[in-house]
Amino acid sequence: MRINAAIGLSAVALALAMGHAAPAHAGNVAGAGMECYVDTFRYDIATPDTCSSLWVPNGAHNPTVAVFSVTGLPAGNYGFVWRNLENNAIVASCANQNACAVPISTDLSGDGVAILQATVTDLDTGASRQVQATAYYYDGYT
């Protein structure tokens, strides 16, 4: 009996000496935003809220993809639901990812626009926020 009591007291003493862990904090969706770029053969840089690019021969594919990503989230446990606002359809291929790529054609061979919205949900608190961005792809040759 004395051995078990000694082990128990030692464990308590060790736990007290180590202190306690700080409580875990859930992520905060308030700072979430979105950026995008249109994928070309150049070094494409994502920009907040709106992005655009020009198609020229040997400069990009047509169609290509517009790449969208959610930014401004601290470490946390998030869910993502992506919606294409041009046709109001869920983009299932991007479910629960913080980035999404969709096809885009130039304004002469398509409408030259891609608009995506992401609903970001903090899975620990249930807090959510919607963010969106618009990509434009122009024909710079014709």
Side-chain angles (χ1 to χ4, degrees):
M1 213 36 142
R2 275 188 179 253
I3 293 175
N4 286 342
I7 291 172
L9 288 175
S10 296
V12 169
L14 180 62
L16 289 173
M18 292 176 61
H20 65 282
H25 294 286
N28 183 352
V29 296
M34 189 180 294
E35 62 185 19
C36 64
Y37 68 90
V38 177
D39 191 23
T40 66
F41 300 158
R42 296 179 301 276
Y43 181 70
D44 302 302
I45 298 173
T47 55
D49 305 321
T50 305
C51 58
S52 63
S53 190
L54 291 175
W55 173 86
V56 294
N58 301 316
H61 292 295
N62 186 25
T64 188
V65 294
V67 180
F68 297 82
S69 59
V70 176
T71 61
L73 294 174
N77 187 20
Y78 302 101
F80 301 89
V81 175
W82 291 86
R83 181 174 299 276
N84 181 333
L85 294 182
E86 289 197 278
N87 60 13
N88 204 31
I90 298 291
V91 185
S93 62
C94 300
N96 287 317
Q97 299 177 46
N98 72 331
C100 186
V102 294
I104 189 170
S105 296
T106 65
D107 56 334
L108 293 183
S109 61
D111 71 352
V113 179
I115 307 168
L116 287 192
Q117 175 187 71
T119 301
V120 182
T121 303
D122 182 324
L123 298 177
D124 295 327
T125 66
S128 66
R129 177 178 171 98
Q130 289 183 332
V131 293
Q132 75 179 55
T134 304
Y136 298 98
Y137 194 28
Y138 302 107
D139 186 313
Y141 181 72
T142 307

